[in-house]
Amino acid sequence: MPVDTDLFTVVARTEDKLGEIPLWDTRTQSLVWVDLLKPRLNRWDHRSGASTSTVIKEKIGSFCLAEDDSVVITGRSGVSRWWPALDRYEHIACPEADRPANIMNDGRVDGRGRFLFGSMDRMNGGDSGRLWSLTQGEPPRLLIDTGVFVPNGLCWSPCGRVLYFGDSHLDCLFAFDYDLATGAVTNRRVFADTRGIGGTLDGCSVDVDGFVWHARFGAGKLVRFDPKGRIDQSWTMPTRQPTHLTFGGPELRTLYITSARFRMPERELLADPDAGALFAMEVAVKGLPEGRFA
């Protein structure tokens, strides 16, 4: 498949080892994302075009922005609150203390300000992963305890009543009924079996029409599914390892895509010089605004 070079622009050449979890910050009109392995928090200002990076003290699995402008992170030590300007950390909980081989992976905020995040076996050795929900002032709540290998692609339908939750090991995107009032998940079913598309299932986001946009790590593809789980359209990127994507810009009509240089030998990096950069693609449909931890 030919590369859709003209559709994609490089926004920031940050050379991320594993760029992930892009979030559009409407307050500052900037794109915030993390390099999970360096580790660091990156910010690109839409108005000035400048990018900055702030070191994080531990490898992380996910993060979200909070209403008070702090950052909630899930890392090797558990869940913490971080005030970057003060470099101050506040430990919240260690939900995986009973499974010391587990690490965190991917997370997102729902329409009521809850932060959902997943865990996985650090060696990808089994289905010991789980899905947790964090509400302000409460201990983490366990939502899914079985059948989780490598959680990825957390996002919701526009109404907020369907949770999409992917598993990179199974290469499948699942859907759950989601109760916005209580945060409960029920009725797990297959939304899209992504085996055979190429690459590996990674991050997802939903637009206002309910279409699910999805990054294929290792295949250099973006794929869009309609609300029934059928492939609607796909694009080939000018980099091999896109990781995650979100909608941003003043009108939420720009798709921002993070990428990685993870485990790429020198010869591959020479052929893919923008690996690890932040990319953008203008799209015709609006995305959904990212939530903040309440």
Side-chain angles (χ1 to χ4, degrees):
M1 181 180 294
V3 176
D4 299 309
T5 307
D6 295 339
L7 298 179
F8 297 93
T9 58
V10 175
V11 174
R13 289 185 169 87
T14 44
E15 296 188 348
D16 296 328
K17 290 184 179 179
L18 188 55
E20 273 281 7
I21 316 174
L23 302 175
W24 179 253
D25 184 352
T26 56
R27 295 179 181 178
T28 62
Q29 291 293 294
S30 60
L31 197 286
V32 186
W33 74 104
V34 288
D35 185 330
L36 300 185
L37 298 182
K38 283 193 174 178
R40 65 186 181 187
L41 179 79
N42 298 316
R43 183 181 290 271
W44 174 78
D45 187 282
H46 176 266
R47 291 166 292 200
S48 69
S51 59
T52 57
S53 295
T54 306
V55 174
I56 302 172
K57 72 177 184 179
E58 63 177 335
K59 291 182 179 179
I60 69 171
S62 62
F63 83 105
C64 71
L65 304 177
E67 288 287 359
D68 67 352
D69 290 327
S70 66
V71 179
V72 181
I73 59 175
T74 63
R76 299 298 169 90
S77 64
V79 185
S80 301
R81 199 100 172 236
W82 175 42
W83 287 263
L86 304 174
D87 196 28
R88 180 166 69 88
Y89 291 81
E90 176 186 288
H91 185 72
I92 296 176
C94 190
E96 294 291 333
D98 62 324
R99 297 185 182 182
N102 278 6
I103 58 175
M104 306 301 185
N105 195 64
D106 208 7
R108 210 164 205 160
V109 175
D110 74 2
R112 296 292 177 87
R114 305 180 190 91
F115 181 38
L116 273 65
F117 57 92
S119 66
M120 58 178 279
D121 186 303
R122 73 176 69 232
M123 301 304 294
N124 297 345
D127 63 346
S128 66
R130 296 186 280 200
L131 180 66
W132 296 89
S133 176
L134 182 68
T135 300
Q136 172 70 19
E138 299 179 11
R141 174 187 177 189
L142 184 59
L143 298 182
I144 302 175
D145 190 31
T146 59
V148 177
F149 289 86
V150 182
N152 249 322
L154 277 163
C155 53
W156 284 265
S157 62
C159 66
R161 294 194 293 269
V162 178
L163 168 66
Y164 300 106
F165 181 56
D167 193 309
S168 297
H169 177 79
L170 299 175
D171 210 349
C172 188
L173 190 59
F174 298 95
F176 294 81
D177 293 337
Y178 191 76
D179 189 325
L180 267 174
T182 66
V185 295
T186 55
N187 188 26
R188 171 172 167 160
R189 67 254 187 209
V190 173
F191 172 72
D193 185 340
T194 55
R195 293 175 297 179
I197 297 177
T200 304
L201 178 147
D202 216 322
C204 300
S205 281
V206 178
D207 64 32
V208 294
D209 294 329
F211 286 66
V212 181
W213 299 62
H214 167 51
R216 298 297 296 178
F217 184 89
K221 288 183 180 180
L222 303 183
V223 181
R224 185 174 67 184
F225 296 95
D226 70 17
K228 294 186 179 296
R230 301 171 300 204
I231 293 179
D232 171 70
Q233 196 170 350
S234 65
W235 300 263
T236 301
M237 291 191 62
T239 192
R240 191 170 65 84
Q241 295 186 158
T243 55
H244 211 316
L245 49 102
T246 196
F247 293 88
E251 302 297 324
L252 296 180
R253 292 183 183 274
T254 302
L255 194 69
Y256 291 100
I257 309 105
T258 51
S259 66
R261 301 165 68 86
F262 183 62
R263 293 178 179 172
M264 291 179 67
E266 187 63 30
R267 58 180 176 79
E268 290 186 10
L269 290 172
L270 289 173
D272 190 355
D274 291 327
L278 174 69
F279 292 83
M281 180 175 71
E282 300 303 318
V283 294
V285 64
K286 291 183 67 173
L288 300 172
E290 295 286 350
R292 281 180 176 260
F293 182 66

